[in-house]
Amino acid sequence: MLCLHLAATSAAASAGSSSLELFGIKFVGITADNGHKLILTLAAVAAFLFLRWLLNGFIRLVVRRSKEWVSFWSRQGVSLALSVALVLTILSIGLDSL
């Protein structure tokens, strides 16, 4: 009976404490969930930067050199729209538990 109780408390303690432990040192706040969120956030930033690069290249191909102001404001609009979308994406990744 005592063995079952110790096993149950040990399992409950390990389930509640999922922080990273390296060389016997527990790192508070570093969990697998946080690592997953970090990877998703970095992937989202990379995807949005790549999309911005593609859209700006498309704008340079389509807009003529004589209409430089159209190209400038189009790139500004793309950057602004993607920035808002990136902030919303990062917020949705970070605040998924609310």
Coordinates of all heavy atoms in Angstrom, one line a residue:
M1 N 0.8 -1.2 0.0 CA 0.0 0.0 0.0 C 0.9 1.2 0.0 O 0.6 2.2 -0.7 CB -0.9 0.0 1.2 CG -1.9 1.1 1.3 SD -3.3 0.7 0.3 CE -4.5 1.5 1.2
L2 N 1.9 1.2 0.8 CA 2.8 2.4 0.9 C 3.5 2.6 -0.5 O 3.7 3.7 -0.9 CB 3.9 2.2 2.0 CG 4.8 3.3 2.2 CD1 4.1 4.6 2.5 CD2 5.8 3.0 3.3
C3 N 3.9 1.5 -1.1 CA 4.6 1.6 -2.4 C 3.6 2.2 -3.5 O 4.1 3.1 -4.3 CB 5.0 0.2 -2.9 SG 6.3 -0.5 -2.0
L4 N 2.4 1.9 -3.5 CA 1.4 2.5 -4.4 C 1.2 4.0 -4.1 O 1.2 4.8 -5.0 CB 0.1 1.8 -4.3 CG 0.0 0.4 -4.8 CD1 -1.4 -0.2 -4.6 CD2 0.4 0.3 -6.3
H5 N 1.2 4.3 -2.8 CA 1.1 5.8 -2.5 C 2.3 6.5 -2.9 O 2.2 7.6 -3.5 CB 0.9 5.9 -1.0 CG 0.8 7.3 -0.5 ND1 -0.3 8.1 -0.9 CD2 1.6 8.1 0.2 CE1 -0.1 9.4 -0.4 NE2 1.0 9.3 0.3
L6 N 3.5 6.0 -2.7 CA 4.7 6.7 -3.2 C 4.8 6.8 -4.7 O 5.2 7.8 -5.2 CB 5.9 5.9 -2.6 CG 6.2 6.1 -1.1 CD1 7.4 5.2 -0.7 CD2 6.4 7.5 -0.7
A7 N 4.4 5.7 -5.4 CA 4.4 5.8 -6.8 C 3.4 6.8 -7.3 O 3.6 7.5 -8.3 CB 4.0 4.4 -7.4
A8 N 2.2 6.9 -6.7 CA 1.2 7.9 -7.1 C 1.7 9.3 -6.9 O 1.5 10.2 -7.7 CB -0.1 7.6 -6.4
T9 N 2.3 9.6 -5.7 CA 2.7 10.9 -5.5 C 3.9 11.3 -6.4 O 4.1 12.4 -6.8 CB 3.1 11.1 -4.0 OG1 4.1 10.1 -3.7 CG2 1.9 11.0 -3.1
S10 N 4.7 10.3 -6.7 CA 5.9 10.5 -7.6 C 5.4 10.8 -9.0 O 5.9 11.7 -9.6 CB 6.8 9.3 -7.6 OG 7.8 9.5 -8.5
A11 N 4.4 10.1 -9.4 CA 3.8 10.4 -10.8 C 3.1 11.7 -10.8 O 3.2 12.4 -11.8 CB 2.8 9.2 -11.1
A12 N 2.4 12.1 -9.8 CA 1.7 13.4 -9.7 C 2.7 14.5 -9.7 O 2.6 15.5 -10.3 CB 0.8 13.4 -8.5
A13 N 3.8 14.3 -8.9 CA 4.9 15.3 -8.8 C 5.6 15.5 -10.2 O 5.8 16.6 -10.6 CB 5.9 15.0 -7.8
S14 N 5.8 14.4 -10.9 CA 6.5 14.5 -12.2 C 5.6 15.1 -13.2 O 6.0 15.8 -14.2 CB 7.1 13.2 -12.6 OG 6.0 12.3 -12.9
A15 N 4.3 14.9 -13.1 CA 3.3 15.4 -14.1 C 3.2 16.9 -13.9 O 3.1 17.6 -14.9 CB 2.0 14.7 -14.0
G16 N 3.2 17.4 -12.7 CA 3.1 18.8 -12.5 C 4.4 19.6 -12.7 O 4.4 20.8 -13.0
S17 N 5.5 19.0 -12.6 CA 6.8 19.6 -12.8 C 7.4 19.2 -14.1 O 8.1 18.2 -14.2 CB 7.7 19.3 -11.7 OG 9.0 19.7 -11.9
S18 N 7.1 19.9 -15.2 CA 7.6 19.5 -16.5 C 8.7 20.4 -17.0 O 8.9 20.6 -18.2 CB 6.4 19.4 -17.5 OG 5.9 20.7 -17.7
S19 N 9.4 21.1 -16.1 CA 10.4 22.0 -16.5 C 11.7 21.3 -16.8 O 11.9 20.1 -16.4 CB 10.7 23.0 -15.3 OG 11.1 22.4 -14.2
L20 N 12.5 21.9 -17.6 CA 13.7 21.3 -18.1 C 14.7 21.1 -16.9 O 14.9 22.0 -16.1 CB 14.4 22.2 -19.2 CG 15.7 21.7 -19.7 CD1 15.5 20.4 -20.6 CD2 16.3 22.8 -20.6
E21 N 15.4 20.0 -16.9 CA 16.4 19.7 -15.9 C 17.6 19.3 -16.6 O 17.7 18.3 -17.4 CB 15.9 18.6 -14.9 CG 16.8 18.4 -13.7 CD 16.3 17.5 -12.7 OE1 15.1 17.4 -12.5 OE2 17.1 16.7 -12.1
L22 N 18.7 20.0 -16.3 CA 20.0 19.7 -17.0 C 21.1 19.7 -15.9 O 21.3 20.6 -15.1 CB 20.3 20.8 -18.0 CG 21.5 20.7 -18.8 CD1 21.4 19.4 -19.7 CD2 21.7 21.9 -19.7
F23 N 21.8 18.5 -15.8 CA 22.8 18.3 -14.8 C 22.3 18.5 -13.4 O 23.0 19.1 -12.5 CB 24.0 19.2 -15.0 CG 24.7 19.0 -16.4 CD1 24.7 20.0 -17.3 CD2 25.2 17.8 -16.7 CE1 25.3 19.8 -18.5 CE2 25.8 17.6 -18.0 CZ 25.8 18.6 -18.9
G24 N 21.0 18.1 -13.1 CA 20.4 18.2 -11.8 C 19.9 19.6 -11.5 O 19.4 19.9 -10.4
I25 N 20.0 20.6 -12.4 CA 19.5 21.9 -12.2 C 18.2 22.1 -12.9 O 18.1 21.9 -14.1 CB 20.5 23.0 -12.7 CG1 21.8 22.8 -12.0 CG2 20.0 24.4 -12.5 CD1 22.9 23.6 -12.6
K26 N 17.1 22.5 -12.2 CA 15.8 22.7 -12.8 C 15.7 24.2 -13.3 O 16.0 25.1 -12.6 CB 14.7 22.5 -11.8 CG 14.3 21.1 -11.6 CD 13.1 21.0 -10.8 CE 12.7 19.5 -10.7 NZ 11.4 19.4 -9.9
F27 N 15.4 24.3 -14.6 CA 15.2 25.6 -15.2 C 13.8 26.0 -15.1 O 12.9 25.4 -15.7 CB 15.7 25.6 -16.6 CG 17.2 25.5 -16.7 CD1 17.8 24.2 -16.9 CD2 18.0 26.6 -16.6 CE1 19.1 24.1 -17.0 CE2 19.4 26.4 -16.7 CZ 20.0 25.2 -16.9
V28 N 13.4 27.0 -14.3 CA 12.1 27.4 -14.1 C 11.6 28.1 -15.4 O 12.2 29.0 -15.9 CB 11.9 28.3 -12.9 CG1 10.5 28.8 -12.7 CG2 12.5 27.6 -11.6
G29 N 10.4 27.7 -15.8 CA 9.8 28.3 -17.0 C 10.2 27.7 -18.3 O 9.6 28.1 -19.3
I30 N 11.2 26.9 -18.4 CA 11.6 26.3 -19.6 C 10.9 24.9 -19.7 O 11.3 24.0 -19.0 CB 13.1 26.1 -19.7 CG1 13.7 27.5 -19.6 CG2 13.5 25.5 -21.1 CD1 15.2 27.5 -19.7
T31 N 9.8 24.8 -20.5 CA 9.1 23.6 -20.6 C 9.0 23.2 -22.1 O 9.3 24.0 -23.0 CB 7.7 23.7 -20.0 OG1 7.0 24.7 -20.8 CG2 7.7 24.1 -18.6
A32 N 8.5 22.0 -22.3 CA 8.3 21.5 -23.7 C 7.3 22.4 -24.4 O 7.4 22.7 -25.6 CB 7.9 20.1 -23.7
D33 N 6.3 22.8 -23.7 CA 5.2 23.7 -24.3 C 5.8 25.0 -24.7 O 5.5 25.5 -25.8 CB 4.1 23.9 -23.3 CG 2.9 24.6 -23.9 OD1 2.5 24.2 -25.0 OD2 2.3 25.4 -23.3
N34 N 6.7 25.6 -23.9 CA 7.3 26.9 -24.2 C 8.2 26.7 -25.4 O 8.3 27.6 -26.3 CB 8.1 27.4 -23.1 CG 7.1 28.0 -22.0 OD1 6.0 28.1 -22.2 ND2 7.7 28.2 -20.8
G35 N 8.9 25.6 -25.5 CA 9.8 25.3 -26.6 C 9.0 25.1 -27.9 O 9.4 25.6 -29.0
H36 N 7.9 24.5 -27.8 CA 7.0 24.3 -29.0 C 6.5 25.7 -29.5 O 6.5 26.0 -30.7 CB 5.9 23.4 -28.6 CG 5.0 23.1 -29.8 ND1 3.7 23.6 -29.9 CD2 5.2 22.3 -30.8 CE1 3.2 23.1 -31.0 NE2 4.1 22.3 -31.6
K37 N 6.1 26.5 -28.5 CA 5.6 27.9 -28.9 C 6.8 28.7 -29.5 O 6.5 29.5 -30.5 CB 5.1 28.6 -27.7 CG 3.8 28.0 -27.2 CD 3.3 28.8 -26.0 CE 2.0 28.2 -25.5 NZ 1.5 29.0 -24.3
L38 N 8.0 28.6 -29.0 CA 9.1 29.3 -29.6 C 9.4 28.9 -31.0 O 9.6 29.7 -31.9 CB 10.4 29.1 -28.7 CG 11.6 29.7 -29.2 CD1 11.5 31.2 -29.2 CD2 12.8 29.3 -28.4
I39 N 9.3 27.6 -31.3 CA 9.6 27.1 -32.6 C 8.5 27.5 -33.6 O 8.8 28.0 -34.7 CB 9.7 25.5 -32.6 CG1 11.0 25.1 -31.9 CG2 9.7 25.0 -34.0 CD1 11.1 23.7 -31.6
L40 N 7.2 27.5 -33.1 CA 6.1 28.0 -34.0 C 6.3 29.5 -34.3 O 6.0 29.9 -35.4 CB 4.8 27.7 -33.3 CG 4.2 26.3 -33.4 CD1 3.0 26.2 -32.5 CD2 3.9 25.9 -34.8
T41 N 6.7 30.2 -33.3 CA 6.8 31.7 -33.4 C 8.0 32.0 -34.4 O 7.8 32.8 -35.3 CB 7.1 32.4 -32.1 OG1 6.1 32.1 -31.2 CG2 7.3 33.9 -32.3
L42 N 9.1 31.3 -34.3 CA 10.2 31.5 -35.2 C 9.8 31.1 -36.7 O 10.2 31.7 -37.6 CB 11.4 30.7 -34.8 CG 12.1 31.2 -33.5 CD1 13.2 30.3 -33.1 CD2 12.6 32.7 -33.6
A43 N 9.1 30.0 -36.8 CA 8.6 29.6 -38.1 C 7.6 30.6 -38.7 O 7.7 30.9 -39.9 CB 7.9 28.2 -38.0
A44 N 6.8 31.1 -37.9 CA 5.8 32.2 -38.4 C 6.6 33.4 -38.9 O 6.2 34.0 -39.9 CB 4.8 32.5 -37.3
V45 N 7.6 33.8 -38.1 CA 8.3 35.0 -38.5 C 9.1 34.8 -39.8 O 9.0 35.6 -40.7 CB 9.3 35.4 -37.4 CG1 10.3 36.5 -37.9 CG2 8.6 35.9 -36.2
A46 N 9.7 33.6 -39.9 CA 10.4 33.2 -41.2 C 9.4 33.2 -42.4 O 9.7 33.7 -43.5 CB 11.1 31.9 -41.0
A47 N 8.2 32.6 -42.1 CA 7.2 32.5 -43.2 C 6.7 33.9 -43.7 O 6.6 34.2 -44.9 CB 6.0 31.6 -42.8
F48 N 6.5 34.8 -42.7 CA 6.0 36.1 -43.0 C 7.1 36.9 -43.7 O 6.8 37.7 -44.6 CB 5.5 36.9 -41.8 CG 4.1 36.5 -41.5 CD1 3.8 35.5 -40.6 CD2 3.0 37.2 -42.1 CE1 2.5 35.2 -40.3 CE2 1.7 36.9 -41.8 CZ 1.4 35.9 -40.9
L49 N 8.4 36.8 -43.3 CA 9.5 37.5 -44.0 C 9.6 37.0 -45.5 O 9.8 37.7 -46.4 CB 10.8 37.3 -43.3 CG 10.9 38.1 -42.0 CD1 12.2 37.7 -41.2 CD2 10.9 39.5 -42.2
F50 N 9.5 35.7 -45.6 CA 9.5 35.1 -47.0 C 8.4 35.6 -47.9 O 8.6 36.0 -49.0 CB 9.6 33.6 -46.9 CG 9.7 32.9 -48.3 CD1 10.8 33.0 -49.0 CD2 8.6 32.2 -48.8 CE1 11.0 32.4 -50.3 CE2 8.7 31.7 -50.1 CZ 9.9 31.7 -50.8
L51 N 7.2 35.6 -47.3 CA 6.0 36.1 -48.0 C 6.2 37.6 -48.4 O 5.8 38.0 -49.5 CB 4.7 35.9 -47.2 CG 3.4 36.3 -47.8 CD1 3.2 35.5 -49.1 CD2 2.3 36.1 -46.8
R52 N 6.7 38.4 -47.5 CA 7.0 39.8 -47.7 C 8.0 40.0 -48.9 O 7.8 40.8 -49.8 CB 7.5 40.5 -46.5 CG 7.8 42.0 -46.6 CD 8.3 42.6 -45.3 NE 8.8 43.9 -45.5 CZ 10.1 44.2 -45.7 NH1 11.0 43.2 -45.6 NH2 10.5 45.4 -45.9
W53 N 9.0 39.1 -48.9 CA 10.0 39.2 -49.9 C 9.4 38.8 -51.3 O 9.6 39.5 -52.3 CB 11.2 38.2 -49.6 CG 12.2 38.1 -50.6 CD1 13.2 39.1 -50.9 CD2 12.4 37.1 -51.5 NE1 14.0 38.6 -51.9 CE2 13.5 37.4 -52.3 CE3 11.8 35.9 -51.8 CZ2 14.0 36.6 -53.3 CZ3 12.2 35.1 -52.8 CH2 13.4 35.4 -53.6
L54 N 8.5 37.8 -51.3 CA 7.9 37.4 -52.5 C 6.9 38.5 -53.0 O 6.9 38.9 -54.2 CB 7.1 36.1 -52.3 CG 7.8 34.8 -52.3 CD1 6.8 33.7 -52.0 CD2 8.5 34.6 -53.6
L55 N 6.1 39.1 -52.2 CA 5.2 40.1 -52.6 C 5.9 41.4 -53.0 O 5.5 42.0 -54.0 CB 4.2 40.4 -51.4 CG 3.2 39.3 -51.1 CD1 2.4 39.7 -49.9 CD2 2.3 39.1 -52.3
N56 N 7.0 41.8 -52.4 CA 7.7 42.9 -52.8 C 8.4 42.7 -54.2 O 8.5 43.6 -55.0 CB 8.7 43.4 -51.8 CG 8.1 44.1 -50.6 OD1 7.0 44.6 -50.7 ND2 8.8 44.1 -49.5
G57 N 8.9 41.5 -54.4 CA 9.4 41.2 -55.7 C 8.3 41.2 -56.8 O 8.6 41.7 -57.9
F58 N 7.1 40.7 -56.5 CA 6.0 40.8 -57.4 C 5.7 42.3 -57.7 O 5.4 42.6 -58.9 CB 4.8 40.1 -56.9 CG 3.6 40.1 -57.8 CD1 3.6 39.3 -58.9 CD2 2.5 40.9 -57.5 CE1 2.5 39.4 -59.8 CE2 1.4 40.9 -58.3 CZ 1.4 40.2 -59.5
I59 N 5.7 43.1 -56.7 CA 5.4 44.5 -56.9 C 6.4 45.2 -57.8 O 6.1 45.9 -58.7 CB 5.3 45.3 -55.6 CG1 4.0 44.8 -54.8 CG2 5.3 46.8 -55.8 CD1 3.9 45.3 -53.4
R60 N 7.7 44.8 -57.6 CA 8.7 45.4 -58.5 C 8.6 45.0 -59.9 O 8.9 45.7 -60.8 CB 10.1 45.0 -57.9 CG 10.5 45.8 -56.7 CD 11.9 45.5 -56.4 NE 12.2 46.1 -55.1 CZ 12.3 45.5 -53.9 NH1 12.2 44.2 -53.9 NH2 12.6 46.1 -52.8
L61 N 8.1 43.7 -60.1 CA 7.9 43.3 -61.5 C 6.7 43.9 -62.2 O 6.8 44.2 -63.4 CB 7.7 41.7 -61.5 CG 8.9 40.9 -61.3 CD1 8.5 39.4 -61.2 CD2 9.9 41.0 -62.4
V62 N 5.7 44.2 -61.4 CA 4.4 44.7 -62.0 C 4.4 46.2 -62.2 O 4.0 46.7 -63.3 CB 3.2 44.3 -61.2 CG1 1.9 44.9 -61.6 CG2 3.1 42.8 -61.2
V63 N 4.9 46.9 -61.3 CA 4.9 48.4 -61.3 C 6.1 48.9 -62.1 O 7.2 48.5 -62.0 CB 4.9 49.0 -59.9 CG1 4.9 50.5 -59.9 CG2 3.7 48.5 -59.1
R64 N 5.7 49.9 -63.0 CA 6.8 50.5 -63.9 C 7.7 51.4 -63.1 O 7.3 51.9 -62.1 CB 6.1 51.2 -65.0 CG 5.3 50.4 -65.9 CD 4.6 51.2 -67.0 NE 3.7 50.4 -67.7 CZ 3.1 50.8 -68.8 NH1 3.3 52.0 -69.2 NH2 2.3 50.0 -69.4
R65 N 8.9 51.6 -63.6 CA 9.9 52.5 -63.0 C 9.4 53.9 -62.9 O 9.8 54.6 -62.0 CB 11.2 52.4 -63.8 CG 11.8 51.1 -63.8 CD 12.9 51.0 -62.8 NE 13.5 49.7 -62.8 CZ 14.1 49.2 -61.7 NH1 14.0 49.8 -60.6 NH2 14.6 48.0 -61.8
S66 N 8.6 54.3 -63.9 CA 8.1 55.7 -63.8 C 7.1 56.0 -62.7 O 6.9 57.1 -62.3 CB 7.5 56.1 -65.2 OG 6.3 55.3 -65.4
K67 N 6.5 54.9 -62.2 CA 5.6 55.1 -61.1 C 6.2 54.6 -59.8 O 5.7 53.7 -59.1 CB 4.3 54.3 -61.4 CG 3.7 54.6 -62.7 CD 2.5 55.4 -62.5 CE 1.8 55.6 -63.8 NZ 0.6 56.3 -63.7
E68 N 7.3 55.2 -59.4 CA 8.0 54.8 -58.2 C 7.2 55.0 -57.0 O 7.3 54.2 -56.0 CB 9.4 55.5 -58.1 CG 10.3 55.0 -57.0 CD 10.7 53.6 -57.2 OE1 10.9 53.2 -58.3 OE2 10.9 52.9 -56.2
W69 N 6.4 56.0 -56.9 CA 5.5 56.2 -55.7 C 4.5 55.1 -55.5 O 4.2 54.8 -54.4 CB 4.9 57.6 -55.8 CG 3.9 57.7 -56.9 CD1 4.2 58.1 -58.2 CD2 2.5 57.5 -56.9 NE1 3.0 58.1 -59.0 CE2 2.0 57.7 -58.2 CE3 1.6 57.1 -55.9 CZ2 0.6 57.6 -58.5 CZ3 0.3 57.0 -56.2 CH2 -0.2 57.2 -57.5
V70 N 4.0 54.5 -56.6 CA 3.1 53.4 -56.5 C 3.8 52.2 -55.9 O 3.3 51.5 -55.0 CB 2.5 53.1 -57.9 CG1 1.6 51.8 -57.8 CG2 1.7 54.2 -58.4
S71 N 5.0 52.0 -56.4 CA 5.8 50.9 -55.8 C 6.1 51.1 -54.4 O 6.0 50.1 -53.6 CB 7.1 50.7 -56.6 OG 7.9 49.8 -56.1
F72 N 6.5 52.3 -54.0 CA 6.8 52.6 -52.6 C 5.6 52.3 -51.7 O 5.7 51.6 -50.7 CB 7.3 54.0 -52.5 CG 7.4 54.5 -51.0 CD1 8.5 54.1 -50.3 CD2 6.4 55.3 -50.4 CE1 8.6 54.5 -49.0 CE2 6.6 55.7 -49.1 CZ 7.7 55.3 -48.4
W73 N 4.4 52.9 -52.0 CA 3.3 52.8 -51.2 C 2.7 51.3 -51.2 O 2.1 50.9 -50.2 CB 2.2 53.8 -51.5 CG 2.6 55.1 -51.1 CD1 3.0 56.2 -51.9 CD2 2.7 55.6 -49.7 NE1 3.3 57.3 -51.1 CE2 3.2 56.9 -49.8 CE3 2.5 55.0 -48.5 CZ2 3.4 57.6 -48.6 CZ3 2.8 55.7 -47.3 CH2 3.2 57.0 -47.4
S74 N 2.9 50.6 -52.3 CA 2.4 49.2 -52.3 C 3.3 48.4 -51.4 O 2.8 47.6 -50.6 CB 2.6 48.7 -53.7 OG 1.7 49.4 -54.6
R75 N 4.6 48.6 -51.4 CA 5.5 47.9 -50.4 C 5.1 48.3 -49.0 O 5.2 47.4 -48.1 CB 6.9 48.2 -50.8 CG 7.4 47.5 -52.0 CD 8.9 47.7 -52.2 NE 9.1 49.2 -52.1 CZ 9.9 49.9 -52.8 NH1 10.6 49.3 -53.8 NH2 10.1 51.2 -52.6
Q76 N 4.8 49.5 -48.7 CA 4.5 49.9 -47.4 C 3.2 49.3 -46.9 O 3.1 48.8 -45.8 CB 4.3 51.5 -47.3 CG 5.6 52.3 -47.5 CD 6.6 52.0 -46.5 OE1 6.3 52.0 -45.3 NE2 7.8 51.8 -46.9
G77 N 2.2 49.2 -47.8 CA 1.0 48.5 -47.5 C 1.2 47.0 -47.2 O 0.6 46.5 -46.3
V78 N 2.0 46.4 -48.0 CA 2.3 44.9 -47.8 C 3.0 44.8 -46.5 O 2.6 43.9 -45.7 CB 3.2 44.4 -48.9 CG1 3.8 43.1 -48.6 CG2 2.4 44.2 -50.2
S79 N 4.0 45.6 -46.1 CA 4.7 45.5 -44.9 C 3.7 45.7 -43.7 O 3.8 45.0 -42.7 CB 5.8 46.5 -44.8 OG 6.8 46.2 -45.8
L80 N 2.8 46.7 -43.8 CA 1.9 47.0 -42.7 C 0.9 45.9 -42.5 O 0.7 45.4 -41.4 CB 1.2 48.3 -43.0 CG 0.2 48.8 -42.0 CD1 0.9 49.1 -40.7 CD2 -0.6 50.0 -42.4
A81 N 0.4 45.4 -43.6 CA -0.6 44.3 -43.5 C 0.0 43.0 -42.9 O -0.5 42.3 -42.1 CB -1.2 44.0 -44.9
L82 N 1.2 42.7 -43.4 CA 1.9 41.5 -42.9 C 2.3 41.7 -41.4 O 2.4 40.7 -40.7 CB 3.1 41.1 -43.8 CG 2.7 40.5 -45.1 CD1 4.0 40.2 -46.0 CD2 1.9 39.3 -45.0
S83 N 2.7 42.9 -41.1 CA 3.1 43.1 -39.7 C 1.9 42.9 -38.7 O 2.0 42.3 -37.7 CB 3.6 44.6 -39.5 OG 4.8 44.8 -40.2
V84 N 0.7 43.4 -39.1 CA -0.5 43.2 -38.3 C -0.8 41.7 -38.2 O -1.1 41.2 -37.2 CB -1.7 44.0 -38.9 CG1 -3.0 43.6 -38.2 CG2 -1.4 45.5 -38.7
A85 N -0.7 41.0 -39.4 CA -1.0 39.6 -39.4 C 0.0 38.8 -38.5 O -0.4 37.9 -37.8 CB -1.0 39.1 -40.8
L86 N 1.2 39.2 -38.6 CA 2.3 38.5 -37.8 C 2.0 38.7 -36.3 O 2.1 37.8 -35.5 CB 3.7 39.0 -38.2 CG 4.8 38.4 -37.4 CD1 4.9 36.9 -37.6 CD2 6.1 39.0 -37.8
V87 N 1.7 40.0 -35.9 CA 1.4 40.2 -34.5 C 0.2 39.4 -34.0 O 0.2 38.8 -32.9 CB 1.1 41.7 -34.2 CG1 0.5 42.0 -32.9 CG2 2.4 42.5 -34.4
L88 N -0.8 39.3 -34.8 CA -2.0 38.5 -34.4 C -1.6 37.0 -34.4 O -2.1 36.3 -33.5 CB -3.1 38.7 -35.4 CG -3.8 40.1 -35.4 CD1 -4.8 40.2 -36.5 CD2 -4.4 40.4 -34.0
T89 N -0.8 36.5 -35.3 CA -0.3 35.2 -35.3 C 0.5 34.9 -34.0 O 0.3 33.8 -33.3 CB 0.5 34.8 -36.5 OG1 -0.3 35.1 -37.7 CG2 1.0 33.4 -36.5
I90 N 1.4 35.7 -33.7 CA 2.2 35.5 -32.5 C 1.3 35.6 -31.2 O 1.5 34.8 -30.3 CB 3.4 36.6 -32.4 CG1 4.4 36.3 -33.5 CG2 4.0 36.6 -31.0 CD1 5.4 37.3 -33.7
L91 N 0.4 36.5 -31.2 CA -0.5 36.5 -30.0 C -1.4 35.2 -29.9 O -1.6 34.7 -28.8 CB -1.5 37.7 -30.1 CG -0.8 39.1 -29.8 CD1 -1.8 40.2 -30.0 CD2 -0.4 39.1 -28.3
S92 N -1.8 34.7 -31.0 CA -2.6 33.5 -31.0 C -1.7 32.3 -30.6 O -2.2 31.4 -29.9 CB -3.3 33.2 -32.3 OG -2.3 32.8 -33.3
I93 N -0.5 32.3 -30.9 CA 0.4 31.2 -30.5 C 0.7 31.3 -29.0 O 0.6 30.3 -28.2 CB 1.8 31.2 -31.3 CG1 1.5 30.8 -32.7 CG2 2.8 30.3 -30.6 CD1 2.7 31.1 -33.6
G94 N 1.0 32.5 -28.5 CA 1.4 32.7 -27.1 C 0.2 32.7 -26.1 O 0.4 32.3 -25.0
L95 N -1.0 33.0 -26.6 CA -2.1 33.1 -25.7 C -3.1 32.0 -26.0 O -4.3 32.3 -25.8 CB -2.8 34.5 -25.8 CG -1.9 35.7 -25.5 CD1 -2.7 37.0 -25.8 CD2 -1.4 35.7 -24.1
D96 N -2.7 30.8 -26.3 CA -3.6 29.8 -26.7 C -4.3 29.2 -25.5 O -5.4 28.6 -25.6 CB -2.9 28.7 -27.4 CG -1.9 28.0 -26.6 OD1 -1.5 28.5 -25.5 OD2 -1.4 26.9 -27.0
S97 N -3.9 29.5 -24.2 CA -4.5 28.9 -23.1 C -5.6 29.8 -22.5 O -6.2 29.4 -21.5 CB -3.4 28.6 -22.0 OG -2.8 29.8 -21.6
L98 N -5.8 31.0 -23.0 CA -6.8 31.9 -22.4 C -8.2 31.6 -22.9 O -8.5 31.1 -23.9 CB -6.5 33.3 -22.7 CG -5.2 33.8 -22.1 CD1 -5.0 35.3 -22.5 CD2 -5.3 33.7 -20.6

